[in-house]
Amino acid sequence: MGINERKEREKAELSQLILKGAMEVFLEVGFENTSIRKIAERIEYSPGTIYVYFKDKDEILHELHHTAFDQLMEVMEKTAVHQEPIDQVYAIGDSYITFALENPQLYDLMFVLRAPMNAINPECEWEDGFRTYEYFKSVLIKAVEKGQLKPVDPEVLCVTFWATVHGLVTLYLRERFQNLPQEQIEPLMRYSLREMVKQYELVTSDQ
Amino acid sequence: MGINERKEREKAELSQLILKGAMEVFLEVGFENTSIRKIAERIEYSPGTIYVYFKDKDEILHELHHTAFDQLMEVMEKTAVHQEPIDQVYAIGDSYITFALENPQLYDLMFVLRAPMNAINPECEWEDGFRTYEYFKSVLIKAVEKGQLKPVDPEVLCVTFWATVHGLVTLYLRERFQNLPQEQIEPLMRYSLREMVKQYELVTSDQ
DNA sequence: CAAATTTATTGAACAGTGTTCAAAAATGCA
DNA sequence: TGCATTTTTGAACACTGTTCAATAAATTTG
């Protein structure tokens, strides 16, 4: 049944084409201006076709949110070049800020917008977020075990660090740092995060 | 010219009526489902009338965002009952979380949504945010002066604390804490924040 | 008081949105 | 080729923010 296989392949290809077009439109015009009709026009199909391959707009956004997590995960895993867990903690923080500032739309999709979360079954697993969260936590656990961070519950450490960096970048991306001089914001964010992590270090060898 | 005065009064009254209706609709159905037509229907006027009193939807949302800040400011100022600045710091953090959890829509309007910020002149003063920020900073300065917090730049302290609490509540409100057991999230947020502030205390007299 | 003028309100219209679904086109099989 | 199945279409529905000529109301003038 080679034909059925080809058909399945074609279905998958059109699925991917839709997502590719959706990502292009999304990155170009942002969440608020991304419409099904624009995506359809981009890939030269009718709006109706999209609904054969995806249940609704939220499902498409969820797929984009998924590939965004792949990108963030890749960036985070590159910090494994650092031998010491504590160094990796700082590197992850810095990479996270860089990723958010370089991919503001993707960041929104991953951590701010409600839409992509609507495509997740009721009360259940947010696998993409879980993956990155657990990776970061594993690094924190190693840092605690090595005596580089105070013996605080890793869950608490993880939530606290994540919340801080998330708070920093979202306040910035949503223009809530208007009281600060524009050019000072990014350095301040990075400094603020570093200093905060530093408070949790066990042996502080401040220069 | 009593008539002109009465007319101005009536204009102001209808302005307020629109905002009252807008706030009701907004709190009932949320940002995504608040439409000009629904607001008009609520106050029994035509959609067109609203545009005589407000430039666009963003301007209305900006007004709501303004009254939301009044509410938050009131809550924050109540923490002044604490004699010691450091106690007030903890109290403000706790009140902030409570306010966000009790008024998720208002919190969105103040710190997450782009819409209300669009009604602010280009690159200029976000007075509402500034007011609360400066108030919090003044408390932090006092705490530093009294030797209750480490001598860190108050601007850095302020941004860090604010980002952490903002990060905690937004991750929660946007359902990004799905990996944690629902009933543990709120206590964990409060604990996480307290522990974080504690790291910045000069004299730690743990439990 | 009546007419003219100014002010306030209306609601249809425009261009857009997500989504559905009967009809049309394309494809596969005999 | 003819028939059956699958795929694609695009008009239609009920919305959205916003505009603006037309209507209604209020005020001023004669």
Side-chain angles (χ1 to χ4, degrees), chain B residues 59-77:
Chain B
E59 194 170 300
I60 296 174
L61 291 172
H62 179 77
E63 287 300 316
L64 299 189
H65 138 290
H66 178 73
T67 75
F69 265 100
D70 283 346
Q71 283 183 238
L72 175 60
M73 200 62 202
E74 216 175 290
V75 167
M76 279 177 67
E77 280 169 343

Side-chain angles (χ1 to χ4, degrees), chain A residues 18-170:
Chain A
I18 291 169
L19 291 180
K20 182 172 159 280
M23 183 63 98
E24 283 173 19
V25 172
F26 180 79
L27 292 180
E28 280 170 30
V29 305
F31 169 74
E32 311 211 272
N33 299 309
T34 298
S35 73
I36 296 292
R37 281 176 181 81
K38 278 182 195 159
I39 297 170
E41 200 177 1
R42 166 71 54 117
I43 61 174
E44 294 174 298
Y45 275 83
S46 101
T49 306
I50 290 177
Y51 285 87
V52 177
Y53 293 84
F54 296 95
K55 193 178 134 283
D56 55 21
K57 195 183 174 183
D58 289 347
E59 194 170 299
I60 296 174
L61 291 171
H62 179 77
E63 288 300 316
L64 300 190
H65 138 290
H66 178 73
T67 75
F69 266 101
D70 284 345
Q71 283 185 237
L72 176 61
M73 199 63 201
E74 217 175 291
V75 167
M76 279 176 68
E77 280 170 342
K78 278 187 183 158
T79 62
V81 294
H82 292 94
Q83 282 292 325
E84 295 305 320
I86 185 65
D87 293 332
Q88 207 184 336
V89 170
Y90 283 101
I92 287 174
D94 227 56
S95 306
Y96 192 99
I97 291 178
T98 302
F99 179 86
L101 300 195
E102 285 179 354
N103 310 280
Q105 281 106 336
L106 293 187
Y107 191 86
D108 258 21
L109 219 40
M110 295 190 282
F111 299 113
V112 183
L113 301 179
R114 289 218 167 80
M117 302 304 270
N118 295 339
I120 294 178
N121 22 349
E123 308 297 323
C124 252
E125 16 120 26
W126 176 40
E127 227 183 294
D128 296 298
F130 189 71
R131 214 164 92 245
T132 47
Y133 182 87
E134 290 298 312
Y135 180 76
F136 184 43
K137 197 166 83 182
S138 75
V139 177
L140 290 174
I141 290 172
K142 278 184 234 155
V144 171
E145 282 172 351
K146 272 207 161 187
Q148 296 169 336
L149 285 176
K150 295 180 188 173
V152 178
D153 176 10
E155 203 81 72
V156 174
L157 274 184
C158 198
V159 164
T160 308
F161 290 4
W162 180 27
T164 304
V165 68
H166 171 74
L168 286 168
V169 298
T170 51

Side-chain angles (χ1 to χ4, degrees), chain B residues 3 6 35-37 51 56-57:
Chain B
I3 285 174
R6 196 207 65 208
S35 73
I36 297 292
R37 281 175 181 81
Y51 284 87
D56 55 20
K57 195 183 173 184

